[in-house]
Amino acid sequence: ETGVTQSPTHLIKTRGQQVTLRCSSQSGHNTVSWYQQALGQGPQFIFQYYREEENGRGNFPPRFSGLQFPNYSSELNVNALELDDSALYLCASSARSGGDEQYFGPGTRLTVT
Amino acid sequence: QQQVKQSPQSLIVQKGGISIINCAYENTAFDYFPWYQQFPGKGPALLIAIRPDVSEKKEGRFTISFNKSAKQFSLHIMDSQPGDSATYFCAATTSGTYKYIFGTGTRLKVLA
């Protein structure tokens, strides 16, 4: 059984650019949630995907968008990058047929200059 | 009402001691409370979780105590080891939503 994987590991972008982050969910998991973790803070919920549709969103603007694919992998897209978008972006997967456990990937460290 | 308040912000414990981290919540709809351990540069790893129908859950050296009336829960790490040095996050969610609200984290350092 493979765990949650994310790519790339690190990324440096310039303000105003666009970025795409990728996540492969744990085997058998059909729900993917994305979180933003600023330095020294707890993760903050961005949005969740289930059955290829957005299933809830946190307090993030529309320039944060995502996709889920039939194999349950997911993408997070951020347009018009701002300096405050610099953070660790975490993907977490869960199996709706199981309990409430959520398993996190190693994250993508995004730096916006 | 969606906040989870965590304390202390940082904690230093001698090897073999007990580490205690506290969290409080307001939303009574929350019914699943996990704890995560995070090492620098890594994603959070699930340690232990509890539901409000029990007051305590123990797994190895890790114990969660839960006080439903006070809306508080805590993590106790017994016989703390230097390898336990990490940041610990509490979280809360409503069953079936998988939308976690995290605390702000506690940086634990266990001295050898």
Side-chain angles (χ1 to χ4, degrees), chain A residues 82-102:
Chain A
E82 300 177 0
L83 297 179
D84 285 349
D85 295 333
S86 296
L88 181 68
Y89 288 86
L90 295 162
C91 167
S93 75
S94 44
R96 283 190 179 262
S97 59
D100 288 292
E101 296 85 4
Q102 202 164 172

Side-chain angles (χ1 to χ4, degrees), chain B residues 47-107:
Chain B
L47 265 180
I48 186 173
I50 198 168
R51 297 187 187 277
D53 54 343
V54 298
S55 60
E56 187 174 282
K57 183 175 181 181
K58 183 176 180 179
E59 288 185 4
R61 297 186 293 110
F62 300 93
T63 299
I64 300 179
S65 297
F66 190 87
N67 185 329
K68 187 174 181 178
S69 61
K71 291 186 282 186
Q72 295 176 348
F73 58 109
S74 60
L75 175 70
H76 296 232
I77 306 174
M78 313 301 286
D79 187 26
S80 298
Q81 299 296 312
D84 296 330
S85 297
T87 301
Y88 292 81
F89 292 96
C90 62
T93 189
T94 303
S95 283
T97 66
Y98 304 96
K99 299 165 190 173
Y100 287 9
I101 305 297
F102 280 86
T104 50
T106 296
R107 182 174 288 186

Side-chain angles (χ1 to χ4, degrees), chain A residues 5-98:
Chain A
T5 60
Q6 292 185 243
S7 63
T9 305
H10 296 91
L11 205 51
I12 300 175
K13 289 286 189 178
T14 303
R15 188 171 51 183
Q17 287 187 317
Q18 177 265 343
V19 69
T20 298
L21 310 182
R22 295 179 175 82
C23 169
S24 291
S25 61
Q26 187 166 315
S27 177
H29 286 188
N30 55 15
T31 300
V32 173
S33 301
W34 285 92
Y35 291 81
Q36 181 194 65
Q37 186 177 23
L39 201 60
Q41 299 296 316
Q44 293 214 342
F45 176 76
I46 302 174
F47 47 54
Q48 179 183 105
Y49 277 84
Y50 172 60
R51 291 186 175 177
E52 302 177 52
E53 292 193 358
E54 186 177 295
N55 183 44
R57 170 180 282 264
N59 190 25
F60 282 82
R63 58 189 186 84
F64 285 78
S65 64
L67 285 172
Q68 186 181 34
F69 300 99
N71 66 353
Y72 305 131
S73 66
S74 177
E75 286 183 356
L76 164 65
N77 299 291
V78 187
N79 293 322
L81 284 167
E82 300 177 0
L83 297 179
D84 285 349
D85 295 333
S86 296
L88 181 68
Y89 288 86
L90 295 162
C91 167
S93 75
S94 44
R96 283 190 179 262
S97 59

